[in-house]
Amino acid sequence: MTELLNQITTLSTADIAAPIGFHADGQHVGLKHKSKDLGWIYSDVMASVAGVFTTNQVQAAPVQLDKKTIRNGQLQAIIVNSGNANAVTSSIGVSHAESMQEFTAQQLNIDTSLVGVASTGIIGKVLPIDKIINGIKKLKIDGDTNGFAHAIMTTDTKEKSITIQSTIQGKIVTMSGVAKGSGMLHPNMATMLGFITTDINIDAKLLQQALSEDVETSFNQITIDGDTSTNDTVLVMANGLAGHKMIENHTAEYEQFKDMLHTVTTALSIAIANDGEGATKLIAVAVNHAQSALDARMVAKKIVGSSLVKTAIFGKDPNWGRIIAAIGASNVDLNPNLIDISINKIAVLVNGAPADFDADTMAEKLEEHDIHIDVDLHAGTESGCAWGSDLTYEYVKINALYTT
């Protein structure tokens, strides 16, 4: 086991096209005022595919289409636009998503069933399909690979990407991820698009198993504002071109693959939380000694999702009362008299009772960008994490004026 679990190296330059056989491009086609708004990812060969999607009952046309498309377990390209969600657009929205799929397939000379589609932006506006089709003509196979990360952004202030490498069966393997997300984030999942490419050889069924398990501890542990979008999509493509034998379940190689996947999804999750709309702080919550891993995750997410906790962090107020209140509202079985809480390693609650702390030292800690809240439930052996951002005046401004 340990022989195969090689160290994962994070490359200094992230590139969604870094794995062998992948290509990408991003261009401005007129959906947004100036910035890039259309991009694609393409693999030289058909790739195994897995996907997870929003749990919102109102689902955008691309989500509906992708759920059908990936049933065959293979994908070769993904086309993505920003600036328009193509959500709540009736049958015309479905037709436009299909047109994006079909025209991309024509441009790349591949089967229509091998193209995934994703959109993000304003809900309820008809997609300007002519601009999309003309834009697809501008995309290149070996184009601006970094442009793809920018083409999928909406209110994001920075791109979110990572590339890592390891070794499987003596072959160097690469995995890259790119995501967008800044607001309307309360995944299961959120206004979040995530795309992961890898040259690892793994079949679609096992890939789906790994992704479905992983999102429970990564993407689904982000919360910015408690709202769940219509367009959440995460797609993983694995084309197998690294050249090793196919990974099988219950092996060291599979555990290594899961470690790599979790490294990518966690990094993207934290990057999304760190770029919350109008955010000034990253809030990271770790819950330890819970009765179950689910309990730990739910308590962590309840804390980071609390508007009162978020505003306290924005105001640099060590109001731990809001934290313990959020814990108590989590519906997890616990004993309040055993709980410990610390903020940036300063204890504020010990065994359910207030702890004395130096106000000046705490004030200095709350000036930091990263705010770590640690909770010990003293109820079991399991742990979990969640990530989010503070709630600011700027968040209200951004969302009050989003469509105007």
Side-chain angles (χ1 to χ4, degrees):
M1 180 77 77
T2 56
E3 181 181 347
L4 288 170
L5 294 178
N6 295 288
Q7 182 177 357
I8 296 171
T9 301
T10 301
L11 302 190
S12 58
T13 301
D15 184 351
I16 193 64
I20 298 170
F22 281 98
H23 312 265
D25 192 16
Q27 298 288 336
H28 170 66
V29 303
L31 298 172
K32 295 190 292 192
H33 180 53
K34 291 182 179 180
S35 53
K36 293 178 179 179
D37 46 24
L38 185 71
W40 67 15
I41 300 170
Y42 171 71
S43 172
D44 288 335
V45 298
M46 289 186 292
S48 297
V49 64
V52 287
F53 304 94
T54 182
T55 58
N56 196 317
Q57 294 184 68
V58 179
Q59 299 185 351
V63 171
Q64 299 174 43
L65 180 60
D66 283 347
K67 284 185 170 183
K68 298 175 183 177
T69 300
I70 70 169
R71 287 175 186 167
N72 64 11
Q74 292 182 318
L75 212 62
Q76 198 165 350
I78 302 169
I79 183 74
V80 189
N81 76 271
S82 58
N84 186 305
N86 193 13
V88 197
T89 45
S90 190
S91 59
I92 190 68
V94 175
S95 176
H96 285 165
E98 291 172 345
S99 293
M100 288 177 67
Q101 183 184 52
E102 291 166 3
F103 200 77
T104 299
Q106 291 175 20
Q107 289 296 107
L108 294 171
N109 196 28
I110 60 177
D111 193 90
T112 302
S113 66
L114 297 174
V115 179
V117 179
S119 300
T120 182
I122 297 173
I123 294 170
K125 291 193 173 183
V126 175
L127 191 69
I129 193 63
D130 290 343
K131 289 183 178 180
I132 295 283
I133 291 175
N134 289 332
I136 292 172
K137 296 176 183 177
K138 295 171 59 178
L139 294 173
K140 301 174 183 177
I141 291 178
D142 289 309
D144 180 6
T145 58
N146 290 327
F148 178 83
H150 291 276
I152 68 175
M153 292 164 55
T154 50
T155 57
D156 306 64
T157 65
K158 62 192 78 172
E159 68 174 80
K160 303 160 181 70
S161 56
I162 181 175
T163 296
I164 63 174
Q165 286 186 328
S166 190
T167 305
I168 292 179
Q169 299 170 9
K171 303 289 186 180
I172 294 175
V173 294
T174 305
M175 183 181 293
S176 293
V178 63
K180 64 80 53 179
S182 189
M184 201 186 281
L185 281 169
H186 188 64
N188 294 312
M189 284 164 316
T191 287
M192 189 195 79
L193 301 181
F195 307 102
I196 298 171
T197 58
T198 182
D199 47 28
I200 291 173
N201 189 8
I202 183 171
D203 70 31
K205 184 177 180 180
L206 199 55
L207 183 62
Q208 185 66 58
Q209 175 181 303
L211 178 63
S212 297
E213 291 175 357
D214 183 84
V215 296
E216 293 301 323
T217 58
S218 57
F219 291 127
N220 281 354
Q221 288 301 104
I222 317 167
T223 181
I224 302 297
D225 49 25
D227 287 314
T228 302
S229 169
T230 55
N231 288 62
D232 317 348
T233 299
V234 173
L235 294 172
V236 183
M237 296 173 66
N239 66 13
L241 292 180
H244 60 82
K245 293 180 181 179
M246 183 173 286
I247 290 176
E248 296 183 0
N249 201 1
H250 308 299
T251 62
E253 291 98 333
Y254 181 53
E255 294 302 315
Q256 184 179 351
F257 173 80
K258 290 197 297 181
D259 284 348
M260 292 184 70
L261 182 63
H262 192 63
T263 297
V264 169
T265 57
T266 301
L268 294 177
S269 297
I270 294 172
I272 289 169
N274 201 25
D275 193 31
E277 287 174 341
T280 65
K281 306 283 187 182
L282 169 68
I283 306 173
V285 178
V287 175
N288 294 303
H289 297 114
Q291 290 188 37
S292 69
L294 178 60
D295 282 357
R297 295 199 305 271
M298 293 305 97
V299 170
K301 195 168 182 181
K302 191 69 174 180
I303 295 169
V304 83
S306 164
S307 294
L308 290 178
V309 172
K310 289 173 174 291
T311 51
I313 297 302
F314 171 61
K316 303 170 188 176
D317 179 9
N319 192 338
W320 56 262
R322 295 180 177 182
I323 300 172
I324 191 68
I327 295 171
S330 66
N331 294 323
V332 168
D333 187 20
L334 50 81
N335 184 343
N337 297 319
L338 298 178
I339 296 173
D340 299 338
I341 300 174
S342 66
I343 302 173
N344 278 13
K345 298 187 177 179
I346 297 177
V348 295
L349 192 76
V350 177
N351 292 329
D356 291 330
F357 58 86
D358 183 77
D360 291 338
T361 302
M362 178 63 83
E364 291 178 5
K365 291 290 186 180
L366 290 175
E367 290 288 341
E368 297 174 4
H369 177 269
D370 294 1
I371 304 299
H372 296 271
I373 298 173
D374 291 286
V375 175
D376 195 323
L377 297 180
H378 293 288
T381 60
E382 301 298 327
S383 60
C385 297
W387 306 275
S389 61
D390 56 347
L391 190 56
T392 69
Y393 305 126
E394 187 65 18
Y395 171 86
V396 177
K397 180 180 178 181
I398 290 169
N399 283 281
L401 303 175
Y402 186 64
T403 65
T404 54

